[in-house]
Amino acid sequence: MSPRNLNMESSIYFGDDGWWHGRVTMGVKSDGSPDRRHRMAKTETEIKRKVKELEALRDKGRAPKAGRKPTVEKWMTTYLTDIASLKLRPRSLDDYWSKTRNDIIPGIGQHRLDKLEPEHLERMYRSLLEAGHAPSHVVKVHRILSRALKIAHRRRLVVENVATLVDPPSLDETEANPFTIEEAKAFLAAALKRPNYMRWVVGVGMGFRQGECLGLRWKYVDLEAELFHPQWQLQRLTWRHGCTDPRECGMRLHRFDACPQNCTLHKGYKRGCPKPCPKTCTGHASACPERKDGGLVFTRPKTKKSRSEVPIPPPFIPYLRGHKTQQEEMKAAAGIAWQECGAVFTRPDGRPLDPRQDWEEFKEILAEAGIDDRRLYDGSRHTAGTILNELGVDIVTIMEILRHTQISQTRRYVKGRSHLSKAAMGRMGDTFLPQTQAPTETRTETTDSRSDRARRRRRIR
């Protein structure tokens, strides 16, 4: 009879099945029963190596928890539902869900969490790039997955976060293309005929974000002190189910089969046919009778710095007063159809402006002004930062006006101009190598005297 092993001592033996087996005592499970992990290998050397690796993890307190590990799909669902939802803002959470459903789950969703390898991630990233996704999109997918695996590592579901072993694609930052001063004036001249002309003045002249402009309300505008208090922003959030059975609620809208090649049902869709629903689809919350937390919603800005007060340029004040008077006339004309929300910039019936329609109006004004196409951020925030810099405002003051938390972030919004660089280098040249006066033309070739010329002639003879 073989002696009994000491407590916490591992056992290695050769089984009748032709494999070497190792059993390592890790402690106790949550129910109080012993936690014994099993490893197997073809050779004794290999099983000893596996046992030692497991013992090392146990001694360092890094051993994964007992039990079968979830798949990537199951863990991402748990992470987004129970963990990330407590911290992320609604728009960020929607973005996490979108990239998880469309990219992560189809790419690596069926792998077990503890069996995930760096090569699996690299193949998924390469597939996304080959499918036409931008490197910035792939980098976002990598960050979402890395964060989820980091939480799994903290909770000892995995031994290592494999996302830290993978280099995501190189990210080329999109170059800003702000308006010049002449383009900004042409843009505002084209916007002058619009009912919400001051929305574009505030966006271009003060660098307000789109959500901040659309979410600005009169109670946070102090025309006497000439201050804006951007305490809120307007965002369109995804609707959520308020019923108890989301899957049953959207049953009539589920589509599990892909559209035919020449689909006529969705030919008017700008993004093509929608993707088929997953088998466990709980979407279509916009059709839920008890839907909640969606539509156009006033939300708080992301950082405390974004809520800092901003001085209003004094020339803007008369125009803002005129805009307020015009809005009151619209309210009187609408009568009972007016839906009061207190916003500075509204539709004819009092509702806040829709961000999508606001973006389309920006594109229309660009075309009317004869300005080449560019992003909304280029025509507002980047333009304000760049023109302030051209006017000689220091970078710290620009940071305060744009309400950035770090000066490095402000530098990304300030683009240098070639004519300013040329003028600056001209001053640099004048400092080190000042221009010399041009030589004056003389009538005589030499200043020698008559006696000197005679002396040279006698010497030659």
Side-chain angles (χ1 to χ4, degrees):
M1 182 175 178
S2 59
R4 181 179 176 181
N5 290 344
L6 300 175
N7 288 339
M8 305 298 289
E9 185 177 354
S10 306
S11 59
I12 296 175
Y13 60 92
F14 186 74
D16 296 336
D17 55 358
W19 287 77
W20 283 89
H21 297 264
R23 297 194 178 272
V24 183
T25 302
M26 307 298 292
V28 294
K29 298 179 182 179
S30 56
D31 60 357
S33 60
D35 182 7
R36 294 273 289 176
R37 308 287 176 90
H38 174 244
R39 294 291 184 269
M40 56 188 301
K42 277 291 186 182
T43 63
E44 184 179 7
T45 304
E46 181 67 13
I47 194 61
K48 287 182 178 179
R49 182 187 66 79
K50 289 185 176 183
V51 167
K52 287 183 179 180
E53 287 179 356
L54 195 54
E55 289 175 340
L57 292 174
R58 177 196 64 192
D59 297 340
K60 294 178 182 178
R62 294 178 53 200
K65 290 184 178 180
R68 186 176 181 83
K69 302 302 179 288
T71 62
V72 173
E73 178 180 2
K74 187 175 180 180
W75 170 245
M76 290 301 301
T77 302
T78 302
Y79 166 69
L80 294 177
T81 303
D82 300 332
I83 303 172
S85 60
L86 301 178
K87 183 176 181 180
L88 293 178
R89 298 179 66 82
R91 287 287 293 273
S92 298
L93 185 61
D94 288 343
D95 186 51
Y96 274 45
W97 271 112
S98 174
K99 289 178 173 54
T100 298
R101 285 193 301 264
N102 299 325
D103 302 318
I104 296 177
I105 292 178
I108 56 174
Q110 301 308 309
H111 286 287
R112 257 177 49 184
L113 210 58
D114 57 335
K115 300 295 183 181
L116 196 60
E117 299 290 342
E119 292 76 17
H120 300 150
L121 275 62
E122 291 166 346
R123 281 196 292 269
M124 179 180 68
Y125 298 160
R126 185 174 66 251
S127 299
L128 291 175
L129 292 173
E130 291 174 352
H133 290 288
S136 58
H137 178 93
V138 181
V139 170
K140 287 182 180 179
V141 172
H142 173 77
R143 290 172 179 170
I144 293 170
L145 185 58
S146 179
R147 179 63 183 173
L149 293 176
K150 182 178 180 180
I151 300 298
H153 181 229
R154 283 182 185 173
R155 302 188 177 192
R156 295 191 296 128
L157 295 176
V158 292
V159 176
E160 189 172 23
N161 179 0
V162 296
T164 61
L165 307 177
V166 177
D167 291 329
S170 300
L171 184 60
D172 295 332
E173 187 174 343
T174 303
E175 185 177 359
N177 186 22
F179 292 152
T180 62
I181 295 180
E182 292 73 19
E183 288 175 336
K185 291 180 178 179
F187 179 86
L188 293 179
L192 184 59
K193 65 186 82 169
R194 307 274 174 167
N196 287 299
Y197 164 67
M198 286 306 297
R199 177 264 177 271
W200 302 111
V201 173
V202 172
V204 176
M206 301 183 65
F208 271 41
R209 302 174 179 90
Q210 183 192 38
E212 292 170 345
C213 281
L214 304 187
L216 193 62
R217 287 183 278 184
W218 285 115
K219 64 183 297 186
Y220 300 105
V221 178
D222 190 344
L223 295 178
E224 300 300 327
E226 301 181 353
L227 289 174
F228 277 148
H229 300 274
Q231 297 292 318
W232 297 88
Q233 61 182 350
L234 186 71
Q235 290 184 325
R236 180 174 290 282
L237 304 182
T238 303
W239 289 104
R240 306 188 188 283
H241 282 279
C243 56
T244 56
D245 191 351
R247 177 171 170 77
E248 183 64 27
C249 178
M251 183 61 69
R252 63 184 178 84
L253 299 173
H254 293 322
R255 294 176 55 258
F256 300 113
D257 299 325
C259 291
Q261 187 172 4
N262 298 321
C263 175
T264 58
L265 181 61
H266 307 106
K267 62 181 180 181
Y269 282 39
K270 293 182 179 180
R271 300 183 180 181
C273 296
K275 294 183 178 180
C277 300
K279 298 300 182 183
T280 58
C281 179
T282 57
H284 316 295
S286 60
C288 177
E290 303 175 27
R291 64 183 186 178
K292 61 180 181 179
D293 302 335
L296 291 177
V297 180
F298 288 98
T299 63
R300 289 286 189 181
K302 184 180 294 185
T303 63
K304 184 178 179 181
K305 185 70 174 178
S306 297
R307 300 195 291 270
S308 300
E309 60 186 26
V310 183
I312 306 174
F316 288 10
I317 300 298
Y319 288 92
L320 286 170
R321 294 187 188 276
H323 176 77
K324 190 173 185 179
T325 302
Q326 180 186 1
Q327 190 180 77
E328 291 173 352
E329 294 174 354
M330 292 172 55
K331 180 178 180 179
I336 60 174
W338 183 267
Q339 302 180 36
E340 184 61 58
C341 67
V344 176
F345 309 112
T346 64
R347 305 182 212 185
D349 60 356
R351 291 181 298 163
L353 294 176
D354 185 271
R356 182 69 185 183
Q357 295 177 351
D358 180 75
W359 178 86
E360 292 175 352
E361 183 174 324
F362 172 75
K363 297 296 183 179
E364 292 174 0
I365 298 175
L366 283 179
E368 293 175 10
I371 303 173
D372 59 330
D373 188 38
R374 62 194 67 192
R375 302 176 304 169
L376 182 57
Y377 246 50
D378 290 336
S380 56
R381 215 154 163 75
H382 285 287
T383 294
T386 301
I387 292 181
L388 284 170
N389 181 58
E390 292 180 6
L391 296 177
V393 181
D394 62 276
I395 195 72
V396 177
T397 304
I398 297 175
M399 182 183 73
E400 290 298 317
I401 293 173
L402 298 182
R403 290 159 290 126
H404 289 150
T405 55
Q406 296 180 348
I407 200 167
S408 59
Q409 188 179 10
T410 307
R411 290 194 176 98
R412 294 171 50 200
Y413 282 76
V414 177
K415 182 178 180 181
R417 300 291 194 188
S418 58
H419 68 276
L420 294 179
S421 301
K422 185 175 181 180
M425 296 311 294
R427 294 196 300 270
M428 180 68 79
D430 292 341
T431 300
F432 288 103
L433 297 176
Q435 292 184 1
T436 57
Q437 294 182 352
T440 57
E441 184 179 357
T442 58
R443 292 180 178 273
T444 58
E445 296 182 359
T446 179
T447 58
D448 291 348
S449 64
R450 185 175 180 180
S451 60
D452 291 334
R453 292 196 299 273
R455 193 179 301 112
R456 281 197 297 272
R457 283 197 297 270
R458 287 194 297 273
R459 190 182 302 117
I460 293 173
R461 293 173 184 171

